């Protein structure tokens, strides 16, 4: 796979492979102090993640990303938007 920039990642739709739900486009990327990617952040449906987060976005750990394709990023999250066994 070629190197990707944030501008390219934010154009891709994030889809959960567990239920086929479209989670939206990448709105942010989380890094640690050493520059390693921790995960991506997508907008959330407030009623859907009410029990998951006080905010309105969903954090997806990098280990839960299955595949980054031409138009889509496939992630593996279980039904209540928590990381599945990735």
């Amino acid at each position: 796979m070629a190197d990707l920039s944030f501008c390219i990642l934010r154009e891709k739709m994030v889809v959960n492979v567990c239920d086929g739900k479209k989670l939206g486009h990448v709105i942010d990327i989380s890094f640690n102090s050493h520059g390693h990617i921790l995960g991506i952040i997508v907008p959330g449906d407030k009623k859907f993640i009410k029990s998951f987060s006080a905010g309105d976005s969903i954090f997806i750990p990098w280990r839960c990303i299955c595949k980054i394709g031409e138009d889509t990023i496939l992630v593996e999250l279980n039904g209540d938007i928590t990381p599945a066994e990735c």
Side-chain angles (χ1 to χ4, degrees), residues 48-77:
F48 193 68
I49 63 164
K50 187 175 182 180
S51 63
F52 177 69
S53 171
D56 61 352
S57 59
I58 301 169
F59 173 77
I60 301 169
W62 191 255
R63 71 179 185 281
C64 293
I65 296 175
C66 301
K67 180 81 173 171
I68 299 176
E70 284 288 319
D71 304 315
T72 308
I73 299 172
L74 300 177
V75 299
E76 188 175 3
L77 302 173

Side-chain angles (χ1 to χ4, degrees), residues 1-2 6 8-9 11-12 15 18-20 25-26 28 30 39-40 43 51-52 61 71 77 79 84:
M1 176 183 4
F6 176 70
I8 292 171
L9 283 178
E11 294 175 1
K12 299 178 186 296
V15 176
C18 293
D19 61 8
H25 295 311
V26 176
D28 205 352
S30 177
I40 60 174
S51 63
F52 177 69
D71 304 315
L77 302 173

Side-chain angles (χ1 to χ4, degrees), residues 1-17:
M1 176 183 4
D3 293 339
L4 298 171
S5 68
F6 176 70
C7 291
I8 292 171
L9 283 178
R10 71 179 181 185
E11 294 175 1
K12 299 178 186 296
M13 176 61 66
V14 179
V15 176
N16 186 358
V17 297

